[in-house]
Amino acid sequence: RAEVLKAQGQLPAALAAFDEVIREHPENVVARNGRAEVLKAQGQLPAALAAFDEVIREHPTDVFAKNGRAEVLKAQGQLPAALAAFDEVIREHPENVVAKNGRAEVLKAEGLLEDALAAYNKVSLQFPNDDIARNGRACVLAALGRFSEALEFLPHGPLVTLQGWIGQHIRGMILLKMRKRNEAIRILNAGLQGCPWHFQKEYFRAALVVAWLRSGDFSKAKEHLDAVRSPQLQAVANVLRLHVFGAERNLESANRALQNLAATPFYSNQLTQELRRRFILQEQPHHDDEWLSDQEVDLFLLAA
């Protein structure tokens, strides 16, 4: 029940449900890991890390908690620590596909694209039906400009599973990089309307912001951006807010978006600094608009 509430985006209710289970069954490790996952989804990353650490202290062999802890480190931008944490799980549990995919995700977030691709390829050889690896590999191939290969690796068939919907989101982002904006918007709009997972709907919504920015329609971009509520997407949303408000010459709101990025790994990346240069400092751009749009797509393919 608590997991369903989490999938619906009812995070306070999910947290309360897990807390109730823990009060009645304090030994229940599933509920305690679930509670930590909700804290992560709420953006309470230090609390989530502490919750996973507590589970690991009491259940030192719990692989779910160890992978969850590594995921929180990644979300905090502590990428070397996250990589080390996943490597430790793999050493102890070489059959664990979650840790192997997690390790590849960290390499992708670090921008080590060839290393990430090799890691995903290795997972796919060992687990040929793993859609997480297929989606991850598609992201890396798209970032490398190998669009046809990327589309081929995405899951095909009816949109039933979460990974299927994630693959559909990735398909939309790849089409944006291929300059097929109208087709991308159609796919992303369909995902926003039809995806049953609340948090994944937010990814479709945020991706539509990038699509409308690419076409220069700041009104529609802002409309979708205002509706992005997921705590996990706020850093990405603030990068896009910096673009929207900066283009509208709303410097107060653009500065606020930049300040909200200060404690995140996104603050120092090339995209944020280019937006800062253009809109806050009002200096000559170092890159053209197509570069800017591709970098915004890569927020989802590589970092989100």
Side-chain angles (χ1 to χ4, degrees):
R1 180 178 181 275
E3 286 289 346
V4 172
L5 290 167
K6 175 174 173 282
Q8 289 179 325
Q10 299 188 49
L11 300 183
L15 190 64
F18 279 124
D19 282 339
E20 182 180 353
V21 175
I22 293 167
R23 279 194 299 272
E24 296 177 2
H25 306 277
E27 78 292 346
N28 190 290
V29 69
V30 175
R32 294 175 70 178
N33 278 326
R35 180 179 184 275
E37 284 288 316
V38 174
L39 291 169
K40 176 175 174 283
Q42 288 181 318
Q44 298 188 52
L45 299 182
L49 190 64
F52 278 126
D53 281 339
E54 184 179 352
V55 174
I56 293 167
R57 278 195 301 272
E58 298 183 11
H59 304 272
T61 62
D62 191 274
V63 180
F64 188 100
K66 291 180 178 181
N67 282 328
R69 180 179 183 274
E71 286 289 348
V72 174
L73 291 169
K74 175 178 175 286
Q76 289 180 320
Q78 299 188 52
L79 299 183
L83 192 64
F86 280 126
D87 281 339
E88 182 181 352
V89 176
I90 293 167
R91 280 194 301 272
E92 295 175 357
H93 305 276
E95 78 293 344
N96 190 274
V97 67
V98 175
K100 291 181 176 182
N101 277 324
R103 181 179 185 275
E105 286 288 318
V106 175
L107 292 169
K108 177 162 68 74
E110 288 184 312
L112 301 171
L113 300 186
E114 294 294 346
D115 290 342
L117 187 59
Y120 282 125
N121 286 339
K122 192 173 179 180
V123 174
S124 292
L125 283 173
Q126 189 176 359
F127 304 93
N129 296 319
D130 189 273
D131 281 342
I132 295 176
R134 293 177 69 90
N135 281 335
R137 182 161 49 171
C139 287
V140 175
L141 288 168
L144 291 168
R146 295 160 60 178
F147 303 128
S148 296
E149 289 178 77
L151 290 171
E152 182 61 31
F153 276 116
L154 290 174
H156 298 283
L159 294 173
V160 176
T161 67
L162 173 59
Q163 288 304 315
W165 284 102
I166 291 173
Q168 192 74 339
H169 178 272
I170 295 167
R171 182 173 284 106
M173 304 314 292
I174 293 171
L175 290 169
L176 279 179
K177 291 204 94 170
M178 296 173 71
R179 311 294 186 254
K180 297 182 177 181
R181 184 180 60 83
N182 290 338
E183 189 177 350
I185 288 174
R186 179 183 61 78
I187 284 175
L188 296 171
N189 263 322
L192 179 60
Q193 299 302 318
C195 181
W197 279 271
H198 175 82
F199 65 90
Q200 188 58 37
K201 288 173 80 79
E202 290 275 277
Y203 277 85
F204 282 108
R205 188 186 301 281
L208 280 165
V209 176
V210 177
W212 292 117
L213 282 174
R214 183 181 279 275
S215 67
D217 193 329
F218 297 106
S219 176
K220 285 187 178 178
K222 187 177 177 183
E223 177 186 339
H224 284 291
L225 190 53
D226 287 344
V228 175
R229 298 280 186 263
S230 169
Q232 292 173 299
L233 277 173
Q234 287 312 300
V236 169
N238 278 316
V239 175
L240 300 178
R241 288 183 185 109
L242 175 56
H243 188 167
V244 171
F245 290 129
E248 291 182 335
R249 303 288 188 237
N250 182 347
L251 295 186
E252 181 180 351
S253 295
N255 264 306
R256 188 181 308 117
L258 181 63
Q259 291 164 9
N260 287 337
L261 288 167
T264 75
F266 291 95
Y267 182 82
S268 59
N269 71 11
Q270 280 189 310
L271 171 59
T272 301
Q273 291 307 308
E274 174 68 12
L275 292 169
R276 175 176 176 267
R277 185 180 301 111
R278 287 185 179 209
F279 300 127
I280 305 298
L281 303 179
Q282 299 184 29
E283 296 177 354
Q284 190 70 20
H286 287 185
H287 303 279
D288 62 20
D289 289 345
E290 285 196 355
W291 178 92
L292 201 68
S293 183
D294 282 345
Q295 291 293 305
E296 288 173 338
V297 172
D298 283 348
L299 286 175
F300 296 91
L301 293 178
L302 301 180

